[in-house]
Amino acid sequence: MSTASPKPLLILQTGHAPEPIRRVHDNFPQMFIRQGDIDAQQVQIIDLQAGERPRPPEYYCGAIITGSRSMVTEHLDWSEDAADWVRLAMLHELPLFGACYGHQLMAYALGGEVDFHPQGIEVGTHDVTLTPAGHLDPLVSRLPAQFTANLIHLQTVITPPATATVLAKTLHDPHQILRYGPNAISTQFHPEFSGAVMKTYLEWLSDQAQDDKVNYANKLQQLSDTPLSQALLLSFVDALGKRQALAG
């Protein structure tokens, strides 16, 4: 009896890392593959900004939605197409993991409000605290009550979808992890960012001087690897493998 080939994991690429970051650390999909310990041979990367579009959700075992320098509120054609795809994927109960732009895109697609954060940029290594619901979540409850994560974002989920559950927060942003159903979760922080990636970002931002209110020298002293936020991504990927094994 022949065994069906495993379905690929979709990485829905919503943007590109700045060139100085790509030169050292590669692009967003490769960061997820590296930090998620993902078999690159089992991945299909779809570059939305290049005009590529994913196949229907049933073709995949799950999907990861990356970050982007674009803004959800720009309502770009490729982003609106991706929001439609997210809604379809939710109907199929496809496992979804969104980070940063992916987090905001999922929230927007499912009825939430996304906009610029009133307090401006959140960047660097910060403490993330679980909510009471987070302590009960089957995936997030594996994390301690507080852990560190690497962040860089100007926009945020202002109002989560009515059906979403808030699982974690920072002092800056109350919606750091959202759960949308049994198989869909998203993070405002970047589990795919190592401390080295965050360091390159902070140095690049410091050179750009994009926000004089940010003390980048202080941020550089406080940055670190964030193995526990990475563990959330690893747990999601591990659950996909177990789901595939059961299906096979």
Side-chain angles (χ1 to χ4, degrees):
M1 181 183 296
S2 62
T3 303
S5 299
K7 294 180 179 180
L9 169 63
L10 171 66
I11 296 184
L12 209 54
Q13 184 178 350
T14 64
H16 299 269
E19 195 277 332
I21 284 81
R22 291 202 308 272
R23 187 168 60 240
V24 181
H25 305 289
D26 217 328
N27 216 337
F28 294 138
Q30 289 72 36
M31 293 179 195
F32 275 103
I33 289 168
R34 186 166 59 241
Q35 291 292 96
D37 194 21
I38 298 167
D39 181 358
Q41 300 301 313
Q42 299 299 318
V43 169
Q44 182 181 10
I45 300 170
I46 295 295
D47 184 346
L48 291 170
Q49 290 191 1
E52 299 174 358
R53 294 294 180 266
R55 298 181 67 170
E58 57 267 29
Y59 178 77
Y60 304 102
C61 69
I64 291 171
I65 309 173
T66 75
S68 176
R69 286 191 283 171
S70 298
M71 301 294 173
V72 169
T73 55
E74 294 177 289
H75 301 292
L76 299 168
D77 288 346
W78 61 261
S79 186
E80 294 298 306
D81 288 347
D84 288 340
W85 191 91
V86 165
R87 287 186 277 267
L88 187 60
M90 287 295 295
L91 291 176
H92 285 270
E93 299 187 338
L94 185 74
L96 299 176
F97 190 109
C100 200
Y101 190 96
H103 167 75
Q104 297 161 17
L105 179 72
M106 288 173 65
Y108 161 74
L110 300 174
E113 178 191 2
V114 173
D115 210 334
F116 286 93
H117 195 291
Q119 277 74 55
I121 191 170
E122 183 178 34
V123 62
T125 305
H126 291 274
D127 290 330
V128 179
T129 303
L130 299 190
T131 64
H135 286 286
L136 301 175
D137 187 80
L139 193 66
V140 173
S141 63
R142 303 176 193 179
L143 299 171
Q146 191 170 80
F147 61 95
T148 58
N150 286 315
L151 299 106
I152 174 171
H153 66 111
L154 284 165
Q155 291 205 331
T156 190
V157 177
I158 300 292
T159 307
T163 55
T165 303
V166 180
L167 303 181
K169 61 185 179 179
T170 59
L171 291 176
H172 183 90
D173 194 312
H175 307 133
Q176 282 290 337
I177 306 179
L178 295 177
R179 160 87 56 194
Y180 309 91
N183 298 319
I185 195 166
S186 67
T187 66
Q188 182 56 72
F189 58 81
H190 287 275
E192 79 281 16
F193 279 15
S194 65
V197 170
M198 194 75 252
K199 180 175 185 291
T200 307
Y201 258 103
L202 289 170
E203 291 171 341
W204 175 70
L205 286 168
S206 180
D207 289 340
Q208 301 289 309
Q210 290 184 346
D211 190 339
D212 294 334
K213 292 179 289 186
V214 176
N215 185 335
Y216 287 108
N218 188 49
K219 297 283 186 185
L220 281 161
Q221 290 180 348
Q222 296 175 352
L223 73 81
S224 68
D225 281 323
T226 55
L228 292 171
S229 72
Q230 179 190 6
L232 187 63
L233 174 62
L234 288 166
S235 294
F236 175 81
V237 173
D238 182 62
L240 286 181
K242 291 176 180 176
R243 184 184 175 106
Q244 286 259 69
L246 289 173

